Amino acid sequence: AADVVETLASFGLAYVLVKFFVGVLGEVRQAGLVLVHDRPSYYKILICTLVGASSVVVLLIIIAETKLGVLLIQELHGVTPSVSKLTTSAIAYLSVYPLIDAISWYHAGILLKWHHSTVVGAGSLADIFAQIFAVAVLLYTPLICNNALLVPILAAYAGVVTRCIIVTMAYFITVYPLLKKENTVPASILKLISFLSPLMLSLGIHRISRPLVNLLVARFAASKCDATEAVAVLTATYPFGHLPYGWLNQLKPVSPAFQKEKPNNSTPVLPGRTIGIFCSTVVAFSATMCFILFWIPGVSVAVLEHVIGVPHQLAVLCVDPLKLFAFLSFAVGVRGPLVGWLTLHHQTKLILPSVPVRVCTILALLFALPH
């Protein structure tokens, strides 16, 4: 059980750090959705995406291979040296993940602009099934005994590579031949930075809030063992809690995709009322799923224990945090369409005020609740 907790905590810490950069780079989807009008703009934004993602790869390798990783993981989080060593190893293994993911989301954004959402959805489903298949295969290999940490890492790569191949090939088959070879709308690096920086900063703060919570919860723990257990609880809680409402983030591209005329004018623009009804319906569905999974006694523990494989003692500790997740579907369901509307009208700078509000709220709650 101790090995399970250490492995879970190590992968959780590493994956949270990597997902922070993945989330920030994932905003290139919005650039593909709004700013790609022709082949020159496609290549210009693609180069910027590759440069940014490569910089993240280098930074993650530096964190994993230098004392900076020990400082971030062992000293700040207060975990044991064995957990710290496993975590830095996981960071090194996952360092290329953000590059593949960024390429995938960039092409997904362009596909969404041309209403090829079925392909994007198929890519995401293929990602999930590839991960499940990889885990199912790897569980019957010596890897599970020799180095169990590699199982979720290889599964993550199997998923993201599959998704990247599907959406990139779909882009070159369906959209690329339709793009004009000459510039139709001026696109500059400054315009790209001005458009993406508020989105990236906002999402960056959103992503960093989870490692910040992990850090302070671990620091407030009474001992290193308690800190490891606390991080393990959060690692099990976040993905399961995110499952019923996380997909509401995909409401962001709805307005840019369906309220703006396409270059070929082949699809009519949908009225705001129709989009509002659609968004309200999916939010209600998400909230219902959240309350069924997290508030009906015994359901969340059964899923964690028998489906995900979390030890019973750890699953019981996840119950109360999961109940709080049930209310997040409403916040995410409102935020998604609003961000999409601002993206459509190139008013992403209006998102910036949410950044300090979010940081201050999180810090205030984290320091107040333990007392």
Side-chain angles (χ1 to χ4, degrees):
D3 290 341
V4 171
V5 172
E6 282 196 353
T7 301
L8 193 60
S10 301
F11 179 74
L13 288 172
Y15 196 62
V16 164
L17 180 62
V18 173
K19 287 293 282 184
F20 163 70
F21 293 109
V22 165
V24 173
L25 290 170
E27 286 302 292
V28 298
R29 176 184 63 175
Q30 307 296 341
L33 189 61
V34 177
L35 299 180
V36 174
H37 306 286
D38 44 54
R39 294 186 187 182
S41 61
Y42 163 76
Y43 286 116
K44 188 174 294 185
I45 298 175
L46 177 62
I47 291 171
C48 292
T49 300
L50 293 175
V51 171
S54 299
S55 302
V56 169
V57 173
V58 173
L59 178 60
L60 288 174
I61 293 174
I62 291 173
I63 291 173
E65 301 298 332
T66 65
K67 292 185 178 180
L68 180 59
V70 177
L71 175 65
L72 288 174
I73 306 302
Q74 184 174 336
E75 300 299 329
L76 286 181
H77 286 80
V79 296
T80 60
S82 59
V83 171
S84 176
K85 185 177 180 180
L86 282 173
T87 303
T88 52
S89 297
I91 293 172
Y93 290 137
L94 287 168
S95 59
V96 185
Y97 186 99
L99 176 61
I100 305 171
D101 192 73
I103 296 172
S104 171
W105 280 121
Y106 176 53
H107 291 100
I110 304 173
L111 288 170
L112 288 173
K113 178 176 183 175
W114 289 79
H115 294 183
H116 294 296
S117 55
T118 303
V119 179
V120 178
S124 297
L125 286 175
D127 183 337
I128 296 170
F129 287 125
Q131 290 187 59
I132 295 173
F133 178 76
V135 170
V137 172
L138 292 171
L139 286 178
Y140 294 96
T141 66
L143 196 63
I144 192 66
C145 297
N146 300 332
N147 193 349
L149 184 64
L150 285 177
V151 173
I153 292 172
L154 291 175
Y157 272 116
V160 73
V161 169
T162 301
R163 169 160 52 88
C164 186
I165 291 173
I166 290 174
V167 296
T168 303
M169 288 182 61
Y171 161 76
F172 279 104
I173 293 172
T174 60
V175 177
Y176 187 77
L178 302 177
L179 295 179
K180 294 183 178 180
K181 296 181 180 180
E182 66 277 1
N183 273 313
T184 56
V185 179
S188 65
I189 303 299
L190 290 178
K191 182 179 180 180
L192 175 64
I193 294 173
S194 175
F195 175 80
L196 281 182
S197 54
L199 291 170
M200 287 186 166
L201 180 60
S202 175
L203 191 58
I205 295 300
H206 169 70
R207 292 286 185 176
I208 207 173
S209 61
R210 180 177 165 184
L212 183 62
V213 171
N214 283 352
L215 169 61
L216 292 179
V217 167
R219 296 290 289 181
F220 285 135
S223 66
K224 290 185 181 295
C225 291
D226 289 341
T228 300
E229 185 179 69
V231 173
V233 169
L234 291 174
T235 301
T237 299
Y238 274 120
F240 182 37
H242 194 256
L243 186 64
Y245 78 88
W247 51 274
L248 291 177
N249 284 305
Q250 304 308 316
L251 293 176
K252 293 178 183 178
V254 172
S255 288
F258 291 97
Q259 287 194 292
K260 185 177 182 179
E261 291 186 3
K262 300 299 166 292
N264 57 358
N265 294 318
S266 60
T267 307
V269 175
L270 291 180
R273 177 182 174 83
T274 302
I275 291 177
I277 293 173
F278 170 76
C279 292
S280 299
T281 303
V282 296
V283 169
F285 175 77
S286 172
T288 302
M289 292 301 299
C290 283
F291 281 98
I292 290 174
L293 287 172
F294 305 148
W295 279 87
I296 296 179
V299 174
S300 58
V301 173
V303 173
L304 285 168
E305 189 173 356
H306 300 296
V307 178
I308 301 177
V310 175
H312 178 74
Q313 183 180 357
L314 211 61
V316 172
L317 294 174
C318 295
V319 172
D320 288 336
L322 284 171
K323 287 182 178 180
L324 298 177
F325 271 90
F327 300 96
L328 292 179
S329 56
F330 299 107
V332 176
V334 172
R335 182 189 66 189
L338 290 177
V339 172
W341 187 85
L342 292 172
T343 302
L344 171 66
H345 296 283
H346 293 205
Q347 297 297 318
T348 53
K349 60 184 178 182
L350 296 179
I351 300 172
L352 287 176
S354 66
V355 174
V357 172
R358 184 185 185 94
V359 173
C360 293
T361 302
I362 290 173
L363 290 177
L365 288 174
L366 284 174
F367 281 102
L369 289 176
H371 305 291

